[in-house]
Amino acid sequence: MSTKPTTRLILETLLPHLKVAAAYANFLQPKIAALPAKEQAKNFFAAALTDADVAIQNLVEVVLLGTFPDIRFYGEEYESSNNTKYFRAIELGSEGDYLVTLDPIDGTKFYMDGHSNYQIILSILNSDDFEAVIAISPAQNIYFYALRGEGAFKGTLEMNLEACAPLHITSAKPSILLGWGMNAIAHLLKDRYKVIDIATDYSSDIQIPNLNGILSGDLSGAVIKSGKFLDSAALAFIAKEAGWIVTTLDGSPLPPLHTCKNYSLPGLIVAASKSVHQDLLSAMQSLAASEC
């Protein structure tokens, strides 16, 4: 098989296996037992490492090595995986030399606490931008995917890629998600939006929207301090392909991926409309002015 498969071929090849991973994650959720916490984790979400994370990554790695053995791959659990050393590289490549990334359980804390809004996120990255992202919600039996310049789509886990419908996020709730470290702008938005601060509003008992709420209509915007390639930047790419506005925190276009460090874009504003984006941008500008 070609060492440079198309993005669609990669997604089509991996989708059946990702569906198996989704069924496994759904089955295991009530039974999950946490493994030792990740070292140097900055918050309790990042510290949550489960059996499902490692097992799902191992499954995807085996499929990739057996089908596209020359492809680049970076998985969140690369330090725990015995397969990392077999991939040609874990970094971004040159134009057309794709990097596949995987967050085996995005929202691990949500997953461990029994919430339904965790996801399996797989992305295909070029040197400058995302080429494709697929985000599977096992407990909700749905998945979203986007291809660069071709839009975003939504379907159930029984559907193949072609059967999915275009994703149109309409009537988004007037709720804004603030990622870790962004609570300083909460008071500037509460007169117009329900503000959800992930650091203070998370509950083990009551489910709150995760960032994937931008795809379900549970959020009309989000402000994220760091756009990790594995998760938040990937979900923002799907939203952008669905017609949302995605910029850096100062309103600038997103930089090319190869200029970024630590597999992360700078902070992100993700907004359903120009008016929501302006509100979030104004809040960030007010914060910057107050810190001068």
Side-chain angles (χ1 to χ4, degrees), residues 172-183:
K173 295 178 182 178
S175 299
I176 301 297
L177 179 72
L178 300 182
W180 287 87
M182 302 311 303
N183 59 311

Side-chain angles (χ1 to χ4, degrees), residues 49-67:
L49 172 62
T50 67
D51 293 333
D53 285 291
V54 176
I56 290 171
Q57 179 160 321
N58 285 341
L59 171 61
V60 172
E61 289 169 336
V62 168
V63 175
L64 284 173
L65 287 168
T67 313

Side-chain angles (χ1 to χ4, degrees), residues 219-273:
L219 299 171
S220 57
V223 183
I224 306 299
K225 190 173 184 179
S226 177
K228 294 182 179 178
F229 292 175
L230 290 171
D231 45 47
S232 54
L235 295 175
F237 171 78
I238 298 178
K240 184 173 66 172
E241 286 291 331
W244 279 39
I245 301 169
V246 181
T247 69
T248 64
L249 296 179
D250 65 3
S252 301
L254 302 185
L257 299 183
H258 67 82
T259 66
C260 302
K261 297 180 179 180
N262 301 320
Y263 301 93
S264 294
L265 286 162
L268 301 176
I269 294 177
V270 185
S273 66

